[in-house]
């Protein structure tokens, strides 16, 4: 049967089909759930895909956060259900208060679309436990607002609780200022909530699941989710 | 009633957009301009005749949606 997964579709989502395909490829049982739905029953995993929900009006993710389905996503998360937010999905999760901090305009003001490497800082999560030790993931980013911000106290808390899961790094797995594409505090590319069931990341693992796409490193994330 | 809500990035948060505009102003010869920060100005019309109540509603709406309290401050002003 596979892990029962829901891919939430907002008006303006544009990575929903990619995530659907990636999950299917990894053996999950996948369904699309339209943002106007008010039910989210029987799923093991909920994915908020990338894109430009509501045209990024006001702030990226700010309007989507009030979609009817989001109340259910919040309820699902509070019950311990696994939620993965990718790119715009990450922005929505911060706007909804399921993850701390916010995503600001990239420091160089450009929309950045390229492959990056991320260092995996915490492999003791349901999203990363299958990733081999010390293996940097080569996966693409594609965003204009991925500059992660959190205040000093918040950052300290993230560090202390092991909530920083991915950091932008070099190909040989070193976290350096040069490897930071967008100005994120502490090179942060992805974080998890304190309870360990809600993860947000700017890079797109679903765009790196087949050799034909340039990398298969994104598979590790989905494979982790498929196995325990 | 009409109100204007100013939404600004909090002090200390880097505003790359403002920085770039500042540089452009320098290229134009406006060397005196020292710093630029860019925010949003939101005009609203509200069906509520009691100014105190109207302000209260807008305060709540700003907290919830119009501004993101993690990164932004807001200010509500009545407009004549």
């Amino acid at each position: 049967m596979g892990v029962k997964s829901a891919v939430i579709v907002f008006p303006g989502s544009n990575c929903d089909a990619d995530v659907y395909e990636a999950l299917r490829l990894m053996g999950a049982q996948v369904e699309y759930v339209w943002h106007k739905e008010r039910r989210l029953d029987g799923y093991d995993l909920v994915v908020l895909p990338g894109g430009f929900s509501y045209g990024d009006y006001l702030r990226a993710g700010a309007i989507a956060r009030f979609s009817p389905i989001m109340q259910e996503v919040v309820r699902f998360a509070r019950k311990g259900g696994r939620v993965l937010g990718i790119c715009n999905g990450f922005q929505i999760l911060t706007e909804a208060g399921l993850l701390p901090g916010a995503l600001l305009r990239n420091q160089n003001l450009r929309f950045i679309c390229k492959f990056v490497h991320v260092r995996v800082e915490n492999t003791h999560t349901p999203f990363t436990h299958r990733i081999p030790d010390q293996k940097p993931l080569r996966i693409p980013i594609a965003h204009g607002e991925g500059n992660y911000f959190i205040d000093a106290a918040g950052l300290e808390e993230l560090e202390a609780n092991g909530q920083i899961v991915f950091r932008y790094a070099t190909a040989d797995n070193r976290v350096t200022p040069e490897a930071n594409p967008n100005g994120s505090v502490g090179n942060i590319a992805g974080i998890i909530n304190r309870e360990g069931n809600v993860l947000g990341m700017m890079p797109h693992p679903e765009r790196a699941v087949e050799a034909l796409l340039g990398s298969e490193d994104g598979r590790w994330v989905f494979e982790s989710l498929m196995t325990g | 009633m009409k109100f204007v809500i100013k939404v600004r990035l909090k002090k200390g948060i880097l505003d790359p957009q403002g920085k770039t505009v500042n540089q452009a102003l320098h290229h134009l010869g406006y060397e005196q301009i020292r710093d630029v920060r860019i925010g949003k100005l939101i005009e609203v019309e509200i069906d509520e005749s009691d100014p105190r109540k109207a302000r209260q509603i807008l305060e709540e709406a700003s907290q919830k949606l119009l501004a993101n309290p993690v990164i932004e401050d807001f200010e509500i002003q009545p407009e004549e």
Side-chain angles (χ1 to χ4, degrees):
Chain A
M1 279 296 275
V3 171
K4 205 172 166 211
S5 314
V7 175
I8 310 290
V9 184
F10 298 96
S13 294
N14 67 8
C15 301
D16 41 341
D18 304 59
V19 173
Y20 185 101
E21 212 32 50
L23 285 164
R24 200 193 49 80
L25 191 71
M26 301 306 292
Q29 189 193 341
V30 202
E31 283 169 15
Y32 289 118
V33 175
W34 181 235
H35 74 116
K36 287 211 164 138
E37 295 285 328
R38 289 171 190 280
R39 292 185 55 178
L40 201 55
D41 298 330
Y43 293 103
D44 307 306
L45 168 70
V46 171
V47 183
L48 305 185
F52 299 86
S53 58
Y54 295 91
D56 273 357
Y57 292 165
L58 196 63
R59 295 178 306 278
I63 315 275
R65 165 234 195 297
F66 293 101
S67 275
I69 195 66
M70 279 310 292
Q71 272 190 30
E72 287 311 304
V73 174
V74 171
R75 194 168 305 156
F76 178 81
R78 300 252 188 265
K79 277 193 306 197
R82 287 171 190 170
V83 180
L84 170 64
I86 301 167
C87 198
N88 190 222
F90 184 11
Q91 294 162 338
I92 296 169
L93 289 175
T94 60
E95 283 283 343
L98 284 173
L99 289 174
L103 292 139
L104 298 169
R105 184 77 70 93
N106 292 345
Q107 210 160 67
N108 66 5
L109 290 178
R110 295 199 190 102
F111 187 95
I112 308 171
C113 188
K114 64 171 187 187
F115 269 98
V116 297
H117 289 87
V118 293
R119 189 164 85 184
V120 186
E121 302 283 37
N122 183 348
T123 50
H124 302 283
T125 81
F127 305 83
T128 55
H129 66 101
R130 295 281 291 178
I131 303 173
D133 242 10
Q134 305 300 318
K135 165 146 182 59
L137 302 184
R138 184 171 172 271
I139 34 182
I141 53 169
H143 59 246
E145 286 162 357
N147 178 355
Y148 183 75
F149 171 81
I150 192 161
D151 61 23
L155 181 63
E156 214 166 287
E157 205 173 312
L158 287 182
E159 303 256 15
N161 299 323
Q163 287 176 256
I164 300 168
V165 177
F166 301 113
R167 287 190 213 258
Y168 299 108
T170 58
D172 58 352
N173 219 14
R174 285 177 304 120
V175 174
T176 67
E178 295 73 36
N180 188 340
N182 53 24
S184 291
V185 163
N187 281 37
I188 290 174
I191 56 166
I192 197 163
N193 65 341
R194 220 173 155 158
E195 293 72 24
N197 64 311
V198 178
L199 181 117
M201 62 192 297
M202 287 314 293
H204 288 271
E206 80 281 10
R207 294 192 189 178
V209 291
E210 288 183 86
L212 195 62
L213 296 173
S215 169
E216 294 182 294
D217 287 353
R219 275 177 178 250
W220 294 109
V221 174
F222 297 107
E223 197 181 311
S224 298
L225 284 165
M226 296 305 118
T227 53
Chain B
M1 294 190 76
K2 284 188 181 176
F3 285 85
V4 166
I5 302 166
K6 288 186 197 162
V7 181
R8 284 185 250 241
L9 275 180
K10 283 189 171 164
K11 273 197 190 119
I13 292 189
L14 186 75
D15 175 16
Q17 201 179 180
K19 269 223 155 79
T20 307
V21 170
N22 195 19
Q23 269 171 22
L25 288 167
H26 287 179
H27 291 319
L28 282 175
Y30 298 109
E31 300 286 342
Q32 321 85 315
I33 296 176
R34 195 143 37 86
D35 194 25
V36 177
R37 289 176 72 77
I38 295 177
K40 288 182 200 136
L41 193 145
I42 302 169
E43 295 175 345
V44 291
E45 280 186 53
I46 177 167
D47 292 328
E48 171 58 66
S49 49
D50 179 351
R52 252 194 47 205
K53 264 194 199 148
R55 188 177 277 272
Q56 217 170 17
I57 292 167
L58 293 177
E59 186 92 23
E60 201 183 295
S62 300
Q63 287 281 0
K64 273 194 196 159
L65 176 63
L66 300 178
N68 178 347
V70 177
I71 47 170
E72 294 167 328
D73 290 324
F74 63 88
E75 208 178 298
I76 301 166
Q77 286 165 352
E79 204 178 40
E80 303 314 318

